[in-house]
Amino acid sequence: MMPFLQRALVNSLRKVSADLFFEVLNNELAKGYSIRLFTLTEIDHLGGQAKRIYSSAPKQYPIGGYKQIEINDWSKQVLEQGEAFIANTEKALSEVFFDHQLISSMGLGAVINWPVIVEGKVIGTVNILSSENSYLDCDLEQFEALYPWFVIAFSLPVLQESSL
């Protein structure tokens, strides 16, 4: 049987709109970082795929659908080692992202990808993008402070579908 506080939290979260929750996270991060694109990506390690569960630009980066994860320096750093990835130039983005031309066409040239780890495994990434050099010498304190909320963000779809 689930403890009372855990059950109360789960039942409360079932009533929360996932999109609204994601927008709140975007707004909180925007207090400390320039953000022109905000996405959340769920990771399926067994299938080697990623699925976007939120996008502030759904026309260019739609929600849903799986894409294969490329094995490169980015995937090793973020998905295998669980370390944040920061790049500040279009050239750096082109070295690790297959969709770098779309990113560039949106005027974006800097990224922070923050891995969300549960039980030693990366379950998703929080991704913010902006113009080149936006994240030079940035402090990741705000990402660290919001970490429990990121875990909740990736848990919301599961909580809302379950019958706990």
Side-chain angles (χ1 to χ4, degrees):
M1 182 176 209
M2 190 183 303
F4 170 76
L5 290 177
Q6 184 178 359
R7 189 173 58 250
L9 177 61
V10 167
N11 287 331
S12 297
L13 290 173
R14 282 192 184 127
K15 294 177 173 67
V16 173
S17 157
D19 284 343
L20 178 60
F21 191 85
F22 300 154
E23 287 174 25
V24 168
L25 288 177
N26 185 6
N27 292 338
E28 285 303 310
L29 283 172
K31 291 177 182 177
Y33 306 95
S34 171
I35 300 176
R36 294 180 48 201
L37 174 63
F38 175 73
T39 66
L40 298 171
T41 307
E42 186 178 77
I43 305 300
D44 170 11
H45 289 276
L46 293 176
Q49 299 177 325
K51 178 183 179 183
R52 194 171 302 106
I53 62 170
Y54 180 79
S55 173
S56 64
K59 182 178 176 189
Q60 295 91 342
Y61 284 97
I63 297 167
Y66 284 92
K67 64 178 181 179
Q68 283 300 123
I69 296 171
E70 292 184 51
I71 305 302
N72 59 26
D73 291 340
W74 179 90
S75 63
K76 290 176 186 166
Q77 180 176 330
V78 177
L79 303 181
E80 292 177 21
Q81 298 168 359
E83 297 174 4
F85 176 83
I86 302 172
N88 277 292
T89 64
E90 287 182 27
K91 181 181 182 328
L93 296 180
S94 73
E95 293 171 1
V96 294
F97 297 131
F98 75 91
D99 58 346
H100 62 90
Q101 290 176 327
L102 175 56
I103 293 169
S104 178
S105 76
M106 294 174 67
L108 306 172
V111 67
I112 297 176
N113 301 118
W114 183 269
V116 177
I117 303 167
V118 173
E119 296 179 353
K121 186 179 218 175
V122 176
I123 63 167
T125 60
V126 176
N127 315 293
I128 63 171
L129 293 92
S130 194
S131 55
E132 279 196 291
N133 300 316
S134 290
Y135 308 126
L136 292 173
D137 302 318
C138 74
D139 182 357
L140 298 175
E141 183 178 323
Q142 196 169 0
F143 276 89
E144 292 169 9
L146 288 170
Y147 192 79
W149 298 99
F150 297 146
V151 173
I152 291 170
F154 284 97
S155 301
L156 269 177
V158 173
L159 289 173
Q160 291 175 341
E161 292 171 6
S162 75
S163 60
L164 292 175

